[in-house]
């Protein structure tokens, strides 16, 4: 799955990782609202292929924007549409994870672009770790 604004960068040193991290953070949309002075308005997905001694593994790092209660955050216009889109993507991800946990015959990856992008990371044979931060 391709995403607008997607870039490929080569990393050969730890300084490259820091540079890419700064680049990702600079391109993310963030805006304040009634409940949070700085709220992520977008998800960030960083993919990496790590090759060690001729063996490669694919890593995907995802920083998801948090869900929002539109009424409580007091947003409107474009920010309301962003919040609704974020909530829709998180709901789609929830449905995929629930289907995987239940071992359903059908997993609704195609319900959203985010879940299609993460399909290889969530499916059979993938190892997934989740780190949650709450503020």
């Amino acid at each position: 799955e391709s995403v607008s604004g997607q870039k490929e960068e080569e990393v050969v040193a730890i300084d490259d990782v820091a540079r890419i991290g700064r680049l990702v953070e600079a391109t993310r949309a963030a805006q304040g609202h009634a409940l949070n002075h700085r709220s992520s308005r977008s998800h960030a997905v960083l993919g990496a292929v790590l090759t060690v001694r001729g063996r490669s593994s694919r890593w995907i790092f995802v920083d998801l924007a948090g869900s929002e209660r539109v009424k409580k955050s007091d947003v409107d216009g474009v920010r309301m549409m962003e919040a609704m889109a974020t909530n829709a993507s998180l709901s789609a991800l929830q449905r995929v994870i629930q289907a995987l946990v239940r071992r359903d015959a059908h997993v609704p990856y195609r319900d959203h672009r985010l879940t299609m992008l993460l399909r290889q990371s969530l499916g059979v044979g993938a190892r997934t770790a989740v780190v949650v931060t709450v503020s």
Side-chain angles (χ1 to χ4, degrees):
E1 179 73 9
S2 177
V3 177
S4 65
Q6 178 177 333
K7 290 184 178 181
E8 187 171 313
E9 300 275 341
E10 184 174 3
V11 174
V12 294
I14 195 69
D15 290 342
D16 295 331
V17 174
R19 178 182 53 80
I20 291 170
R22 288 189 301 272
L23 178 66
V24 168
E25 191 59 31
T27 59
R28 288 194 72 186
Q31 192 81 32
H33 56 71
L35 299 176
N36 193 345
H37 74 282
R38 187 180 190 288
S39 178
S40 294
R41 311 307 294 173
S42 62
H43 304 310
V45 179
L46 176 64
V49 176
L50 178 64
T51 304
V52 177
R53 292 186 214 120
R55 294 190 67 185
S56 295
S57 59
R58 182 175 179 199
W59 293 66
I60 304 290
F61 300 93
V62 182
D63 184 4
L64 298 172
S67 65
E68 286 189 20
R69 296 177 188 254
V70 175
K71 281 187 177 184
K72 286 188 176 185
S73 62
D74 196 32
V75 294
D76 58 7
V78 172
R79 288 193 290 170
M80 183 172 76
M81 298 303 285
E82 290 171 340
M84 290 170 56
T86 296
N87 291 345
S89 65
L90 294 173
S91 293
L93 181 58
Q94 177 184 11
R95 288 189 301 276
V96 164
I97 291 170
Q98 287 173 338
L100 290 168
V101 167
R102 290 189 307 254
R103 300 188 192 285
D104 290 355
H106 171 71
V107 179
Y109 291 110
R110 296 183 67 153
D111 283 2
H112 198 277
R113 185 179 216 164
L114 175 67
T115 52
M116 288 180 68
L117 183 67
L118 298 178
R119 183 178 190 155
Q120 289 182 332
S121 303
L122 297 172
V124 176
R127 294 184 182 175
T128 304
V130 177
V131 177
V132 177
T133 58
V134 179
S135 59

